[in-house]
Amino acid sequence: ELFNFLKYALDGAAEQDHANMMEYSLREAEKAFCPSYPQHFHELVKHAVNTAAGHGKLRVLKCLMDQTTAAAIPIDYEAAVLQAASSGQAENLIKEAIKGGAAYENVILMLLQALPVLPDTAGGGLGSRHSVKTAAKLQLVKSYKQSNPALFAHLMAAVKRFFPEESTTAAGAADGDIAM
């Protein structure tokens, strides 16, 4: 029953975008489960990451990523990206992370690295590779092309690196233009 209660608390913290409550709930879960049932604790952490991604809550997701990385807790970020895509939040997460800039670099890279698991729907469709790629590229142009050309070039190169189809499509486009 405690396990289910903590899942409920984590769901609420993710839905409300309350990073402090998420941290508190996970600390309590760690106290309750790590000594005797570490697998239960890892399940709760994975649930928290997937729930934050599914609700499109960038602050909570970043907080969880920072904590899991520091604690060396393995997380299946592909599952989190699939959860975000299935609830229509993948595009929102990548756009908001790009707006956040360098502070969200780990989230941007995680989202880009996990994108191969998304369906490759060339015509678009929310949650498809094409849709997320387009959202990322448009947000890069809006956020950085004029205000910070060096960061724009760096992030656009990262986006293109994670989309192999870009190398052929972008060959005809001018440097820094959006080839869709």
Side-chain angles (χ1 to χ4, degrees), residues 9-161:
L10 294 170
D11 289 345
E15 190 172 325
Q16 297 299 315
D17 199 19
H18 202 302
N20 290 337
M21 180 55 76
M22 182 68 75
E23 287 180 33
Y24 174 78
S25 298
L26 285 173
R27 273 194 310 273
E28 294 305 311
E30 185 176 23
K31 288 178 198 174
F33 292 112
C34 260
S36 301
Y37 305 101
Q39 185 59 33
H40 284 19
F41 174 67
H42 288 163
E43 287 178 39
L44 286 170
V45 173
K46 290 175 187 177
H47 176 77
V49 169
N50 291 340
T51 301
H55 287 293
K57 303 302 183 179
L58 181 63
R59 282 181 344 119
V60 173
L61 184 60
K62 181 188 181 329
C63 173
L64 289 166
M65 287 181 66
D66 292 346
Q67 289 181 352
T68 57
T69 300
I73 297 173
I75 297 295
D76 180 5
Y77 288 114
E78 290 179 355
V81 169
L82 283 171
Q83 182 68 36
S86 70
S87 60
Q89 294 297 324
E91 292 82 357
N92 183 53
L93 281 174
I94 193 79
K95 289 190 302 188
E96 292 302 313
I98 289 169
K99 284 181 194 176
Y104 290 91
E105 183 177 5
N106 62 338
V107 178
I108 296 168
L109 292 175
M110 177 277 294
L111 289 166
L112 292 174
Q113 288 171 346
L115 287 178
V117 301
L118 295 180
D120 190 18
T121 311
L126 204 56
S128 69
R129 281 176 46 85
H130 179 77
S131 176
V132 175
K133 172 183 71 171
T134 301
K137 292 170 79 175
L138 286 173
Q139 191 59 53
L140 283 171
V141 169
K142 284 176 160 177
S143 296
Y144 302 114
K145 187 169 184 176
Q146 304 242 333
S147 66
N148 192 339
L151 182 59
F152 170 77
H154 175 71
L155 290 173
M156 189 61 81
V159 169
K160 289 179 181 180
R161 186 175 74 237

